[in-house]
Amino acid sequence: MSATTEKRRVTCIVCPSGCRINVEIEGGKIIEISGNQCKRGADYATTEVTQPMRVLTTTVRLENGRLLPVKTSHPIPKALLFDAIKELSGVVVKPPVKMGQVVYSNVAGTGVDVVATRSWD
Amino acid sequence: MVDVVIIGGGVVGCMIARELSRYQLKTVLLEKEDDVASGTSKANSAIVHAGYDPKPGTLKAKLNVRGNPLFDKICSELDVPFKRIGSLVVSLTEEEDRVLEELLERGKKNGVPGLKIINREELLKMEPNVNKKARAALYAPTAGIICPYELTIALAENACQNGVEIKLNSKVVGIKVVNNGELAVMTPTETIHTRYVINAAGLYADEISKMAGAEEYRITPRKGEYLLFDKRFGNIVNRIIFPTPSKISKGILVCPTVDGNFFIGPNSNDVTEKDDVAVTPEGIEEIIKGAQKLVPELPLNHVITSFAGLRAVSDTDDFIIGASKKVRGFINVGGIQSPGLSAAPAIAEMVLEILKEEGLSLKEKRDYNPERPRVYKFRQMNNEERRELIRKNPAYGRVICRCETVTEGEIIDAIRRPVGARSLDAVKRRTRAGMGRCQGGFCSPRVIEILSRELGISPLEITKCGCGSEILKGRTKEFIETGGVVDAK
Amino acid sequence: MQNRELVIIGGGPAGLSAAVEARRLGIEDVLVIDRESEPGGILKQCIHTGFGLHIFKEELTGPEYAERFIRKAEALGVEIMLDTMVIELTSDRRIVAVNGREGLVEIQAKAIILAMGCRERTRGAIKIPGFRPAGIFTAGTAQRFVNIEGYMPGCEIVILGSGDIGLIMARRLTLEGAKVRCVVEIMPYSNGLTRNIVQCLEDYSIPLLLKHTVVNIHGKKRVEGVTIAEVDDEMKPIMETAQFIPCDTLLLSVGLIPENELSRMAGIEIDDVTGGPVVNQRLETSVPGIFACGNVLHVHDLVDFVTQEAMEAARGVASYLADGGKKYDHIPVTAGEGLRYVLPQRINVEAMTGEKQNFFMRCARPMARARLYVESERGVIESRLLSHVKPSEMISIKLGRDELKGVKMLKFILQEEGDKIECND
Ligand SMILES: Cc1cc2nc3c(=O)[nH]c(=O)nc-3n(C[C@H](O)[C@H](O)[C@H](O)COP(=O)(O)OP(=O)(O)OC[C@H]3O[C@@H](n4cnc5c(N)ncnc54)[C@H](O)[C@@H]3O)c2cc1C
Ligand SMILES: Cc1cc2nc3c(=O)[nH]c(=O)nc-3n(C[C@H](O)[C@H](O)[C@H](O)COP(=O)(O)OP(=O)(O)OC[C@H]3O[C@@H](n4cnc5c(N)ncnc54)[C@H](O)[C@@H]3O)c2cc1C
Ligand code: SF4
């Protein structure tokens, strides 16, 4: 086995079995996936190893000093979560706001919108 | 120049302050913490003892028996609940039966009224949850329960109302004799010149006495730990249930509180530090074992909090009360361990006598008012009274602490009164907000909000119990342009 | 004194769902009372996703889930009385509530649904020794400070208990710039969803220490650290393994307790295991005309089940109002081996509100594969194979009227199955 082989462990969350999946990577390519009980697990593990994605939920400031809960409308790369939250720390929203309204676009350059998760009059 | 400086805002200092507020004097009370009742007076068994326990002839015995009957009047003047529920010392062995006899004798010598020994049947009828193996009990009808910090706060408020100046966050760091008949008391921020100093500094009375160059004695801290139970089980016992006493303490007891909870404790262990109020696993085990001897079925799943208090044990093993022979105008009130709470009214009387002997002339004030303005307690009012109160002030219609049903009106009142609350614990001691089964989980964010609004300071400056105990560490990122968490300070 | 048809105490997801369903069933006069200034209950502060997968088939955040129900309730003409705390409840269905506007509000209701939710277990409840400084919060209180008020409870944090609220807060505080040192769990397994362990802890390399607990809290004014130690099989700390962890904050995520002060006041029978009222097939408590659902009945992990249960309670109220409070006999429903409890605790098959009866239960310990047996006096009447049961995840099953006809008792049993056995039914 060459020295560039990397082993990663992923806990599958697709179903309650919670399989511990082992992924072997060589030269940036996945060469083996084991420990999963089904194909969905393999797909999940592949994304987790190559480009894990998460929905970010946080709050932004309202002009009235209160907090507005928000989320990204789609998952964004896990690696960009901290960048996204930093970018959002400067955002101030003027009420009224409707649930689902976009309050920020293209967060951290992902092309994903950030939407309000509640209304505020 | 003032007439009297009292050092220490415990029950003893505050009782003396209120006593002095009857007279035309300039009195200042200095307390190092951010509130009165921050020392031993906030964590003890809260019993106004009958007085059969202390050795005849000691100050403890004399002042306990003298102090006990004074509580009814003081408490009604100050609107502080006091319940004379009586106490029972339970014997479980033949040997302990003899101890009961001894206590009865001692009690008679001390002048305690109404003592009698009751048999097993009578005992179990009065207290069905007491150990069925009990043989007999010494019944003392004059023993009572009180909330010690509520009393202390009420005393301070009333003293303040009558002109005593109460200075919090004022730790005494030096005392000097300026010239004959004048003492200078120093805190980090000021120096107060006075004719008399009363040392009621509790655990630190030895250090204060030494600081002034007066008599030297030693106070060692002896810890007592407690577990407090949910109100739902408050009637597990109706009276104070003691085991037979040991040499050093009255033992681990089971006792109702005036607020309807009950507690078990205290144990009795010497510790080295005067602020070591940490609860220990061994301590918890010890008090559970001890209390189970008296009441075997304890609802251990319904403990709502644990706490510890420190007894100020002097090397003479009695109260040390008297004018210094070395420093004129300096009066020690030290070593006030149990039954210090019960004796406090009599201690104050005695201190007054001493002051007189030392040349202080006491002229009564015309406008002295022994009554403290009423404290509205929503949870204790009937619906008619509640309706009336909310009509006058809608803040009494907003419930902030759901476990103890404390309203915003009560919290605002606690902050605005004389010697007003400045921290979460101070609000808690005055209103019970946060003392219920959720222990402030629900109401602390709201109490912080009210404190910050009333005091005009940021929520970040609100403390649990004075400087260094800030509750929040900063704002979330949303409020900080640069990102990152800033420290409260 | 006002006269009302249905009063719902609590405007969280349970109260709102019950109100919506009650209106749909044609109950005209529905009043929801909540002590907060906005409806939504605990969901207002649960800004993370994970709500509504069963009910809406999409993943919503707590506020979104709440807002959907608030809108429905408003559209259906449900009256919501806010900033109003119910302080008294009697067994003849009289309510006293208090607010600053009207003072005391007295109501006589035909039917009442209890939906008061739950509160968090505290340090006292689990008796952790040490000092009592600032910096000890329950996870839910910390959640409120961060998500509603915008304040940080601490910078360096240890979390005791691996319940979902604690896990969610571990991530939230990390994203806000705090350092979460570890999550300490006394059990050999976590009480949270695997998904939360992965996405809230593993994503941020936060260690989860199983079979560990906090044995001491240090710091006189503010928390300065905690001592943690491994525990043995009896859950007693092994002091040789004690280690000091510096931190300024301890979050407790050690469980929830149904909030039943009012129920007790009304003399409602409470189940020692669930901490909530004993109920029958239509979620009616031991006091006729008073119903219960949501966290006040038993602690839920999924809000979707809360909604389902609340709808059941609303159907129960409708049947109660229709039959005029007729008295029924009940057969007992009990939890046997492998289960902590089963709800409802008693049923009357004839009076079931639908063709199927929902049973909610919690297992006593995690099992990879387990078989659930339903026994009557005649023996096993039903069995189902379940995989991956955990005490933290509620089991819900439905039994049909036909299966239940004529039985005199029901007992539910959960038995672990060996790995080899494949689905054999
Ligand atoms: C476990 C336990 C159980 C008890 N049970 C009972 C009982 O049931 N009945 C009973 O009668 N008694 C009981 N006692 C005794 C009773 O609690 C005490 O006697 C009483 O509270 C002592 O009050 P104090 O004012 O002297 O002391 P404290 O309340 O300690 O007050 C002293 C004050 O002085 C302040 N201070 C100290 N140094 C300085 C300084 N340098 N500058 C300014 N201020 C300073 C402190 O901060 C403190 O607030 C019990 C005691 C303990 C520990
Ligand atoms: C801190 C915390 C975090 C949680 N996080 C999650 C999560 O992430 N995901 C998840 O699926 N579940 C979570 N849960 C579980 C969640 O609580 C339930 O799924 C659901 O919210 C319970 O709904 P409920 O309506 O029964 O209770 P609640 O939402 O608690 O609502 C009860 C309502 O009743 C009101 N009320 C109570 N007593 C009175 C009274 N006397 N008078 C007037 N009003 C009253 C309260 O103010 C409250 O608004 C969490 C629970 C808590 C406590
Ligand atoms: S691999 Fe398949 S079986 Fe295993 S957890 Fe993932 S989805 Fe479930």
Side-chain angles (χ1 to χ4, degrees):
Chain A
M1 214 174 270
S2 82
T4 54
T5 309
E6 192 199 339
K7 281 186 185 167
R8 296 273 302 274
R9 283 193 77 165
V10 175
T11 310
C12 181
I13 60 168
V14 176
C15 88
S17 301
C19 295
R20 296 258 167 190
I21 305 176
N22 292 310
V23 183
E24 267 182 56
I25 306 160
E26 209 176 270
K29 278 217 159 72
I30 294 176
I31 52 164
E32 203 189 315
I33 297 182
S34 59
N36 56 314
Q37 290 179 41
C38 74
K39 166 87 173 51
R40 288 187 303 164
D43 292 347
Y44 173 79
T46 308
T47 340
E48 276 301 284
V49 171
T50 49
Q51 173 80 300
M53 305 288 279
R54 299 287 183 263
V55 168
L56 172 68
T57 58
T58 181
T59 51
V60 295
R61 205 188 331 172
L62 282 164
E63 219 180 44
N64 60 17
R66 305 298 303 271
L67 288 175
L68 178 72
V70 296
K71 70 175 183 189
T72 55
S73 57
H74 296 281
I76 61 170
K78 189 173 114 180
L80 295 175
L81 287 175
F82 279 97
D83 290 342
I85 208 156
K86 204 161 172 193
E87 220 172 283
L88 290 172
S89 71
V91 174
V92 179
V93 176
K94 200 173 152 139
V97 194
K98 283 262 161 277
M99 178 167 80
Q101 189 179 320
V102 175
V103 298
Y104 194 81
S105 298
N106 189 22
V107 68
T110 56
V112 171
D113 290 338
V114 174
V115 299
T117 57
R118 66 159 287 176
S119 306
W120 205 293
D121 301 325
Chain B
M1 172 104 153
V2 304
D3 297 303
V4 185
V5 167
I6 301 167
I7 305 172
V11 69
V12 171
C14 293
M15 191 70 84
I16 296 169
R18 177 178 186 250
E19 216 36 53
L20 288 175
S21 74
R22 292 170 189 276
Y23 304 98
Q24 297 175 24
L25 298 170
K26 224 174 141 19
T27 307
V28 177
L29 184 147
L30 302 175
E31 167 56 52
K32 69 175 162 67
E33 300 297 325
D34 80 319
D35 192 11
V36 295
S38 292
T40 303
S41 299
K42 77 167 180 214
N44 53 58
S45 304
I47 299 166
V48 175
H49 291 288
Y52 51 77
D53 191 51
K55 233 181 25 236
T58 58
L59 275 178
K60 279 186 188 171
K62 186 177 126 197
L63 297 172
N64 183 167
V65 176
R66 166 73 192 141
N68 176 303
L70 300 176
F71 274 83
D72 305 83
K73 178 155 176 272
I74 293 173
C75 291
S76 95
E77 284 171 345
L78 296 178
D79 189 19
V80 169
F82 168 57
K83 296 184 187 159
R84 249 182 226 291
I85 57 173
S87 69
L88 292 161
V89 183
V90 173
S91 93
L92 295 165
T93 63
E94 220 177 306
E95 201 185 318
E96 291 182 353
D97 288 352
R98 281 195 290 278
V99 178
L100 296 189
E101 297 288 346
E102 268 168 47
L103 289 176
L104 179 67
E105 273 318 299
R106 221 192 283 170
K108 283 183 183 160
K109 263 193 208 140
N110 288 348
V112 180
L115 288 177
K116 68 172 180 197
I117 290 180
I118 59 171
N119 64 25
R120 177 171 184 273
E121 284 64 46
E122 287 170 288
L123 169 64
L124 291 177
K125 214 166 120 202
M126 287 162 87
E127 298 294 344
N129 293 322
V130 158
N131 193 343
K132 301 281 176 289
K133 292 196 193 106
R135 298 164 56 92
L138 174 70
Y139 177 48
T142 56
I145 52 175
I146 193 167
C147 174
Y149 41 85
E150 192 174 355
L151 172 67
T152 305
I153 291 163
L155 289 163
E157 275 183 22
N158 189 236
C160 182
Q161 227 177 294
N162 286 304
V164 173
E165 196 179 347
I166 297 193
K167 295 193 164 185
L168 303 173
N169 299 310
S170 301
K171 178 175 177 167
V172 173
V173 291
I175 301 170
K176 276 207 195 87
V177 180
V178 179
N179 51 48
N180 209 10
E182 185 178 338
L183 296 163
V185 180
M186 279 151 295
T187 73
T189 52
E190 65 180 333
T191 300
I192 302 171
H193 291 259
T194 178
R195 291 166 61 205
Y196 297 92
V197 170
I198 295 169
N199 171 15
L203 288 157
Y204 301 87
D206 53 348
E207 291 164 37
I208 297 285
S209 190
K210 193 168 165 197
M211 202 184 275
E215 285 73 4
E216 294 206 2
Y217 51 92
R218 231 186 66 164
I219 306 252
T220 43
R222 186 176 291 160
K223 193 191 284 186
E225 293 162 88
Y226 295 92
L227 289 179
L228 187 80
F229 291 76
D230 194 294
K231 267 192 185 153
R232 253 168 62 212
F233 302 89
N235 51 7
I236 192 165
V237 293
N238 307 306
R239 292 166 194 77
I240 308 152
I241 312 293
F242 290 101
T244 51
S246 73
K247 271 222 167 60
I248 57 165
S249 88
K250 297 181 191 68
I252 294 162
L253 44 131
V254 181
C255 182
T257 71
V258 275
D259 298 295
N261 305 75
F262 88 94
F263 69 79
I264 62 172
N267 52 358
S268 188
N269 293 311
D270 286 332
V271 292
T272 47
E273 282 170 59
K274 290 182 175 178
D275 57 357
D276 175 7
V277 287
V279 176
T280 63
E282 307 77 41
I284 293 177
E285 220 166 281
E286 186 184 351
I287 57 177
I288 291 176
K289 276 213 189 97
Q292 278 170 337
K293 283 188 203 146
L294 296 174
V295 177
E297 306 279 325
L298 292 170
L300 291 173
N301 286 331
H302 296 273
V303 170
I304 61 173
T305 187
S306 55
F307 61 91
L310 296 172
R311 303 172 182 84
V313 181
S314 74
D315 40 17
T316 65
D317 209 30
D318 195 6
F319 298 160
I320 299 171
I321 304 175
S324 167
K325 302 211 168 60
K326 292 162 77 178
V327 180
R328 218 188 124 199
F330 186 87
I331 294 157
N332 268 311
V333 190
I336 311 297
Q337 55 164 315
S338 189
L341 169 64
S342 324
I347 293 174
E349 282 182 353
M350 183 172 167
V351 169
L352 231 68
E353 286 308 312
I354 295 169
L355 282 168
K356 267 196 249 172
E357 280 163 26
E358 293 297 299
L360 182 67
S361 76
L362 297 173
K363 270 194 253 111
E364 289 204 19
K365 271 183 201 155
R366 281 264 183 83
D367 55 353
Y368 169 71
N369 179 2
E371 284 183 19
R372 171 171 86 126
R374 168 142 189 224
V375 180
Y376 292 106
K377 290 178 183 162
F378 189 85
R379 67 181 175 283
Q380 289 170 358
M381 297 165 78
N382 66 35
N383 285 344
E384 254 345 286
E385 294 171 321
R386 286 170 172 170
R387 210 184 303 263
E388 190 52 34
L389 185 62
I390 300 168
R391 211 178 40 76
K392 279 196 225 139
N393 183 353
Y396 284 93
R398 288 192 284 275
V399 176
I400 302 294
C401 166
R402 61 183 177 188
C403 305
E404 296 287 318
T405 329
V406 179
T407 62
E408 184 169 357
E410 290 162 85
I411 294 169
I412 294 175
D413 182 47
I415 299 168
R416 293 188 186 168
R417 278 181 171 261
V419 204
R422 294 291 174 268
S423 63
L424 220 53
D425 280 358
V427 167
K428 178 163 118 178
R429 283 193 289 269
R430 281 164 182 75
T431 63
R432 292 188 65 72
M435 281 209 179
R437 47 179 76 90
C438 91
Q439 290 285 299
F442 177 75
C443 66
S444 58
R446 285 143 210 257
V447 177
I448 290 173
E449 202 183 300
I450 298 170
L451 271 166
S452 98
R453 192 181 67 211
E454 283 289 315
L455 302 176
I457 58 178
S458 153
L460 294 175
E461 294 171 57
I462 304 295
T463 64
K464 180 173 185 290
C465 51
C467 193
S469 67
E470 282 73 16
I471 291 154
L472 299 167
K473 280 284 178 182
R475 296 232 63 172
T476 49
K477 271 211 187 70
E478 292 76 348
F479 292 88
I480 300 152
E481 254 60 40
T482 52
V485 181
V486 286
D487 208 288
K489 275 166 279 171
Chain C
M1 176 85 71
Q2 306 179 19
N3 282 297
R4 293 296 188 127
E5 199 166 13
L6 171 60
V7 177
I8 299 172
I9 308 177
L16 292 170
S17 307
V20 166
E21 184 66 9
R23 285 289 299 122
R24 275 203 200 119
L25 293 169
I27 300 173
E28 288 291 326
D29 174 27
V30 180
L31 169 68
V32 176
I33 304 181
D34 200 290
R35 62 180 163 216
E36 305 255 342
S37 55
E38 287 182 310
I42 207 73
L43 294 183
K44 295 193 292 288
Q45 66 186 53
C46 300
I47 64 164
H48 56 279
T49 59
F51 300 84
L53 265 178
H54 296 247
I55 300 277
F56 295 109
K57 308 285 174 246
E58 58 179 306
E59 239 195 298
L60 302 175
T61 63
E64 288 172 313
Y65 191 94
E67 192 161 325
R68 290 198 180 189
F69 276 95
I70 295 167
R71 281 197 194 151
K72 276 191 207 168
E74 282 168 355
L76 289 167
V78 171
E79 188 184 336
I80 305 181
M81 190 189 275
L82 296 170
D83 291 310
T84 306
M85 166 121 170
V86 174
I87 54 171
E88 268 174 51
L89 177 66
T90 65
S91 58
D92 50 4
R93 298 184 305 282
R94 274 207 318 275
I95 289 171
V96 180
V98 56
N99 65 39
R101 299 178 302 271
E102 296 142 280
L104 294 191
V105 186
E106 283 171 85
I107 303 169
Q108 172 69 59
K110 279 201 186 125
I112 290 172
I113 296 180
L114 306 175
M116 289 95 73
C118 59
R119 64 166 192 274
E120 295 179 274
R121 222 179 262 281
T122 64
R123 172 188 176 189
I126 48 168
K127 305 188 206 85
I128 314 173
F131 287 95
R132 310 162 76 226
I136 305 170
F137 301 85
T138 57
T141 305
Q143 192 176 44
R144 184 185 166 100
F145 273 126
V146 177
N147 291 344
I148 306 276
E149 323 264 345
Y151 287 97
M152 289 296 281
C155 305
E156 292 188 44
I157 295 156
V158 169
I159 300 179
L160 175 60
S162 63
D164 284 314
I165 313 170
L167 300 180
I168 296 281
M169 282 315 288
R171 173 175 63 188
R172 182 76 184 114
L173 289 163
T174 305
L175 285 172
E176 280 292 343
K179 170 88 192 142
V180 178
R181 298 235 164 254
C182 58
V183 174
V184 183
E185 169 60 58
I186 196 165
M187 303 299 283
Y189 50 86
S190 158
N191 282 313
L193 299 170
T194 311
R195 175 194 147 99
N196 283 341
I197 294 180
V198 172
Q199 297 197 345
C200 299
L201 301 186
E202 290 176 11
D203 272 6
Y204 304 94
S205 312
I206 299 168
L208 169 62
L209 304 171
L210 298 174
K211 287 191 84 176
H212 276 71
T213 192
V214 170
V215 293
N216 208 345
I217 299 171
H218 307 268
K220 286 169 185 169
K221 289 269 179 181
R222 173 86 197 188
V223 173
E224 287 163 12
V226 296
T227 303
I228 65 169
E230 213 175 309
V231 298
D232 63 19
D233 292 337
E234 264 101 63
M235 294 213 271
K236 283 240 180 306
I238 307 167
M239 290 322 277
E240 296 74 54
T241 65
Q243 53 171 315
F244 177 80
I245 304 203
C247 60
D248 60 23
T249 301
L250 175 65
L251 288 198
L252 304 175
S253 180
V254 290
L256 303 170
I257 309 172
E259 176 93 53
N260 274 292
E261 279 61 64
L262 290 173
S263 322
R264 287 203 176 82
M265 211 184 272
I268 288 168
E269 186 188 338
I270 302 288
D271 183 324
D272 276 345
V273 180
T274 60
V278 171
V279 290
N280 67 11
Q281 75 288 343
R282 60 183 185 191
L283 303 183
E284 187 176 14
T285 66
S286 63
V287 173
I290 303 187
F291 297 74
C293 59
N295 279 353
V296 78
L297 180 56
H298 58 144
V299 174
H300 290 255
D301 45 278
L302 264 187
V303 75
D304 302 80
F305 284 162
V306 171
T307 292
Q308 271 182 26
E309 196 174 89
M311 291 163 72
E312 186 75 45
R315 285 194 290 275
V317 169
S319 86
Y320 169 84
L321 293 174
D323 69 21
K326 194 176 136 203
K327 279 236 178 323
Y328 296 98
D329 292 331
H330 295 115
I331 62 157
V333 179
T334 53
E337 190 199 316
L339 290 171
R340 280 188 55 229
Y341 68 81
V342 181
L343 222 71
Q345 292 93 338
R346 53 193 182 206
I347 60 167
N348 177 300
V349 179
E350 273 70 58
M352 272 164 52
T353 53
E355 281 313 299
K356 285 189 187 278
Q357 178 68 43
N358 237 320
F359 292 90
F360 290 111
M361 62 208 80
R362 277 189 197 273
C363 61
R365 61 194 162 83
M367 300 176 205
R369 292 162 66 81
R371 185 168 287 279
L372 179 73
Y373 295 95
V374 186
E375 276 180 16
S376 76
E377 74 287 357
R378 295 179 292 222
V380 175
I381 58 169
E382 167 79 42
S383 90
R384 302 225 178 136
L385 191 68
L386 306 171
S387 65
H388 303 287
V389 296
K390 280 170 117 183
S392 55
E393 290 174 32
M394 200 153 61
I395 304 166
S396 153
I397 74 154
K398 285 189 168 77
L399 294 177
R401 196 188 284 272
D402 295 341
E403 291 172 274
L404 297 173
K405 212 165 216 140
V407 302
K408 296 202 176 57
M409 53 88 63
L410 281 177
K411 186 172 181 177
F412 288 72
I413 293 164
L414 192 65
Q415 265 175 16
E416 185 147 27
E417 300 242 317
D419 270 347
K420 297 255 159 46
I421 310 160
E422 280 306 316
C423 290
N424 51 4
D425 48 0

